[in-house]
Amino acid sequence: MARSLYEWLWQHEFWLPPGITWEDMQETEDIHYPQPRDLLLSIPFALILVAVRCAFERAIALPLSSKLGVKDKQRPKAQPNPVLETFYNTCCKNPDESELTSLAKRCDLPVRKVERWFRRRRNADRPSLSKKFCEACWRFTFYITSFFTGLAVLYDKPWFWDHRECWTGYPQQPLQPSLFWYYMLELSFYWSLVFTLPFDVKRKDFKEQIVHHAATIFLISFSYCANYIRIGTLVMVIHDASDCFLEPTKIFNYMKWKKTCDSLFMIFSAVFLISRLVIYPYTVLYNTYYYSMEIFQPFFGYYFVNALLLILQLLHVFWSCLIIHMVYKFILQGTMEKDMRSDTEESDKDEEREKVREMEKNGTVCFSNVTSNNYIQRNGSELLNNRTHLTNGHVKER
């Protein structure tokens, strides 16, 4: 059964153009072709990258965050409550009004305190600023290393300058050692991202990130097995180009260097939109769809690799829409909007408003900086609705 499945999976009709068989891809002492078993090396290499990342974040990125003034926000802790904790872990992290009422009765607590408990508990699960900083530092270090490695590997390759050369002699294109290690570096990195996915910072496009990682791993693996090495290297270097600017943008944002962050964001936006919406479609999509047909007739591998490349392009369009929206806000407001992919930390505004109401009922007025559109600092002692509350409970119109 296993042998039949193996023979069916590796039919040359799936992987090679018409007229080419596996016998034509036999290796010699001087000529080596990609072998599927080579991909297994990416798993231990990925684990090594995970270990290197942990050491890097602990020994370099975390101390660097302290020196650069990246401080974690002090978050009020939720009081221990077994009933609420069990509901939080097993049922729902953001209960609706009816569930809050039911839980309040079970715990013999006011509904507002139960709501506050869930708000604080959700905030406790959100990643700290230093964690985000360390993750961005690691990814920036990898992307900048990978990008310049790709340029060094491809600079003297003919297909880097003339894209039709991607198909010259295909599929009988020998595998060079530099291309092998470049592939292993990229594939191992994306496997490492999959391994650390449960522990990394979760953003609003978490599902799209999973699709992106899966499509990337399948694309790299399939392109290696089918000897689409040349087109694969172009895909990887194009993707790394914009990522080199994304991560430092996050880093300066966490450092609160606003102007530097805004400048890098605009550079990143331009590089991303040009590389993913212009260079990628022409250099990769048009290349694989049209130029390859000058060499061979369509076959399963041709359709499959184009489908994976199109999935990546759809993700490019999705992220481009987010970026264009942020650029539009930047032009209107003159400052970069918060990353729309990030999860917003909840505040205790409702809790502090309730304290203000209770103090006013007791005849005492307390003005705090609870919210910028309702109250001013204490020394201002006035409401933005042009009313002044007196200590005797009366209201005087200004």
Side-chain angles (χ1 to χ4, degrees):
M1 182 69 177
R3 182 175 179 81
S4 299
L5 180 62
Y6 178 84
E7 292 177 352
W8 174 84
L9 178 63
W10 294 105
Q11 295 181 71
H12 63 264
E13 291 86 357
F14 290 168
W15 300 88
L16 302 174
I20 304 293
T21 64
W22 291 117
E23 284 73 20
D24 300 318
M25 302 291 294
Q26 293 295 326
E27 294 185 330
T28 65
E29 293 183 0
D30 300 326
I31 299 177
H32 299 280
Y33 295 111
Q35 300 296 325
R37 63 177 178 270
D38 298 340
L39 298 176
L40 296 176
L41 292 173
S42 63
I43 303 300
F45 288 161
L47 296 176
I48 293 174
L49 280 179
V50 172
V52 171
R53 172 182 174 175
C54 293
F56 173 86
E57 291 185 354
R58 179 171 297 184
I60 299 177
L62 192 58
L64 184 62
S65 68
S66 300
K67 291 183 178 181
L68 294 177
V70 178
K71 298 181 180 179
D72 295 331
K73 182 179 179 181
Q74 295 296 324
R75 299 167 176 168
K77 294 183 179 180
Q79 294 296 324
N81 190 308
V83 175
L84 299 182
E85 188 69 31
T86 301
F87 185 90
Y88 181 87
N89 291 323
T90 59
C91 298
C92 178
K93 295 184 178 181
N94 196 1
D96 56 29
E97 190 171 344
S98 60
E99 291 172 329
L100 287 173
T101 304
S102 175
L103 289 169
K105 291 180 180 179
R106 290 173 58 187
C107 299
D108 194 22
L109 292 172
V111 176
R112 191 169 297 279
K113 285 190 175 182
V114 176
E115 184 180 6
R116 181 193 311 157
W117 187 94
F118 276 94
R119 182 168 55 247
R120 290 181 173 181
R121 185 65 180 82
R122 288 192 296 269
N123 282 339
D125 281 350
R126 289 185 169 88
S128 62
L129 200 61
S130 60
K131 177 178 174 60
K132 294 179 181 180
F133 179 89
C134 292
E135 181 179 313
C137 283
W138 164 249
R139 297 198 182 200
F140 171 68
T141 302
F142 176 84
Y143 287 134
I144 199 73
T145 302
S146 177
F147 177 67
F148 283 104
T149 299
L151 290 181
V153 168
L154 296 176
Y155 181 78
D156 59 345
K157 304 299 186 293
W159 65 87
F160 186 68
W161 309 102
D162 182 3
H163 307 316
R164 292 176 185 266
E165 289 291 328
C166 288
W167 311 109
T168 301
Y170 179 83
Q172 295 168 307
Q173 298 171 336
L175 176 63
Q176 302 176 21
S178 59
L179 299 179
F180 168 79
W181 289 113
Y182 182 44
Y183 249 74
M184 285 299 106
L185 177 66
E186 291 279 352
L187 183 58
S188 301
F189 175 71
Y190 282 102
W191 271 120
S192 72
L193 291 184
V194 172
F195 295 158
T196 60
L197 204 57
F199 313 104
D200 287 342
V201 176
K202 290 182 175 61
R203 303 184 186 275
K204 293 181 180 179
D205 62 345
F206 179 72
K207 294 180 180 179
E208 289 80 4
Q209 286 284 356
I210 295 177
V211 175
H212 175 269
H213 295 342
T216 302
I217 290 173
F218 276 119
L219 179 59
I220 294 176
S221 301
F222 180 82
S223 65
Y224 186 86
C225 294
N227 205 13
Y228 282 109
I229 299 292
R230 297 184 178 184
I231 199 68
T233 54
L234 294 179
V235 173
M236 292 187 292
V237 77
I238 289 173
H239 278 71
D240 289 341
S242 58
D243 291 333
C244 290
F245 293 98
L246 173 61
E247 300 306 326
T249 302
K250 296 179 184 178
I251 291 173
F252 285 110
N253 183 41
Y254 302 146
M255 293 167 54
K256 302 187 184 305
W257 290 24
K258 198 64 178 173
K259 293 184 178 179
T260 306
C261 175
D262 292 347
S263 301
L264 280 173
F265 171 72
M266 296 305 294
I267 296 174
F268 158 74
S269 301
V271 174
F272 184 96
L273 296 176
I274 293 173
S275 63
R276 305 293 179 92
L277 299 184
V278 179
I279 298 177
Y280 178 85
Y282 173 72
T283 303
V284 177
L285 293 181
Y286 186 75
N287 193 359
T288 55
Y289 179 79
Y290 181 74
Y291 287 157
S292 61
M293 292 297 95
E294 297 177 354
I295 307 299
F296 53 78
Q297 296 299 314
F299 63 106
F300 175 80
Y302 164 82
Y303 294 114
F304 189 70
V305 75
N306 274 283
L308 291 175
L309 293 172
L310 282 174
I311 291 175
L312 284 182
Q313 182 59 23
L314 292 176
L315 291 170
H316 295 164
V317 173
F318 169 79
W319 283 313
S320 295
C321 291
L322 296 181
I323 292 172
I324 291 172
H325 180 74
M326 294 178 71
V327 171
Y328 176 73
K329 291 289 186 180
F330 177 84
I331 294 174
L332 289 182
Q333 300 175 0
T335 184
M336 190 185 75
E337 191 184 45
K338 175 186 67 66
D339 186 358
M340 295 164 55
R341 299 163 56 228
S342 298
D343 195 10
T344 305
E345 182 167 331
E346 300 170 86
S347 65
D348 284 334
K349 291 179 182 179
D350 293 336
E351 173 186 345
E352 297 187 19
R353 288 195 190 103
E354 184 65 21
K355 289 182 180 179
V356 171
R357 293 192 190 101
E358 291 177 358
M359 296 183 72
E360 288 180 349
K361 287 180 182 178
N362 295 331
T364 305
V365 181
C366 176
F367 299 99
S368 63
N369 54 351
V370 177
T371 106
S372 59
N373 57 353
N374 286 332
Y375 294 95
I376 305 180
Q377 300 289 337
R378 292 185 181 182
N379 58 1
S381 299
E382 32 179 16
L383 291 169
L384 290 183
N385 59 4
N386 292 328
R387 290 185 172 190
T388 302
H389 285 254
L390 304 180
T391 55
N392 59 7
H394 295 287
V395 177
K396 178 182 178 181
E397 295 288 348
R398 298 187 63 183

